[in-house]
Amino acid sequence: MTDATKTVHLPEDTIAELRDLLREAEEVLADTGAAGGEKIEALRERLRVALFEGRHAIDRLRELARRRAGEIDLQVRAHPYESVGIAIGVGALLGFLCSRLMR
């Protein structure tokens, strides 16, 4: 693979990576429990707040994705021919743009 190769992340992969990051941050927070000092306490509190907000952000994003997927499903079922036409148009446009980039 070259340096220009980009990795495609699925939403599930991103959520899993965020959960792993939060878990590691919690472990670091627990490991510094014995350390004292005003600055360490302030850092711990900021990390606790960031972890709390991160968990809730993941939950909100997951719920939003589920809702949007449901809305799209309803629209596709209500307008199947239009949906196929749009998909063909987008595919043709992407194919055209990719072929121009390869020249």
Side-chain angles (χ1 to χ4, degrees), residues 65-79 83:
R66 283 186 188 139
R67 244 182 309 157
R68 296 297 165 110
E71 291 170 5
I72 291 171
D73 184 55
L74 290 174
Q75 289 298 318
V76 168
R77 290 176 189 268
H79 308 285
S83 300

Side-chain angles (χ1 to χ4, degrees), residues 17-72:
E17 288 175 11
L18 286 173
R19 284 188 180 199
D20 290 342
L21 182 62
L22 289 173
R23 192 174 311 115
E24 287 178 26
E26 287 172 339
E27 290 172 5
V28 169
L29 185 64
D31 290 343
T32 62
E38 201 172 291
K39 288 184 179 183
I40 297 292
E41 266 314 306
L43 181 61
R44 267 193 221 125
E45 187 56 34
R46 285 181 31 213
L47 186 56
R48 281 187 192 106
V49 170
L51 288 171
F52 180 78
E53 290 173 357
R55 280 192 204 100
H56 288 289
I58 289 172
D59 293 339
R60 285 192 309 266
L61 287 173
R62 183 182 300 125
E63 183 57 35
L64 179 64
R66 283 186 188 139
R67 244 182 309 157
R68 296 297 165 110
E71 291 170 5
I72 291 171

